[in-house]
């Protein structure tokens, strides 16, 4: 989270694209969105890819929008 906060600070006001695995993304979402819970992780576990837009004010999450997902069952 410290590294992501550094990116957010250094790129304030710019568009940044970050790619990651689902579990890491879930960790990021849980950190910045206190309402993100296990049920939300289980909802997206079968989505590959899952593309989400997060909007920040500094290091504070102020918006999120799910843009695309393709459901592929997790084995």
């Amino acid at each position: 989270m410290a590294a992501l906060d550094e990116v957010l600070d250094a790129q304030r006001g710019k568009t940044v694209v970050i790619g990651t695995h689902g579990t890491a993304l879930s960790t990021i979402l849980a950190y910045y969105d206190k309402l993100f819970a296990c049920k939300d992780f289980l909802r997206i576990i079968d989505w590959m890819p899952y593309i989400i837009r997060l909007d920040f004010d500094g290091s504070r999450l102020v918006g999120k929008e799910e843009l695309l997902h393709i459901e592929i069952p997790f084995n």
Side-chain angles (χ1 to χ4, degrees):
M1 299 295 92
L4 185 50
D5 279 338
E6 286 181 28
V7 169
L8 291 172
D9 187 49
Q11 303 302 319
R12 185 179 295 260
K14 296 180 181 175
T15 299
V16 177
V17 176
I18 297 174
T20 187
H21 292 277
T23 302
L25 176 59
S26 293
T27 301
I28 291 167
L29 290 170
Y31 180 82
Y32 289 103
D33 179 0
K34 300 308 178 200
L35 298 178
F36 188 86
C38 184
K39 66 177 178 48
D40 300 300
F41 171 73
L42 294 174
R43 181 176 73 94
I44 67 173
I45 197 168
D46 291 333
W47 296 356
M48 293 174 262
Y50 173 46
I51 301 173
I52 185 169
R53 182 177 126 198
L54 303 176
D55 297 314
F56 289 88
D57 181 8
S59 62
R60 184 174 64 89
L61 180 67
V62 295
K64 96 181 152 178
E65 179 183 6
E66 294 178 334
L67 301 174
L68 172 81
H69 73 272
I70 296 173
E71 190 161 344
I72 300 174
F74 180 75
N75 292 328

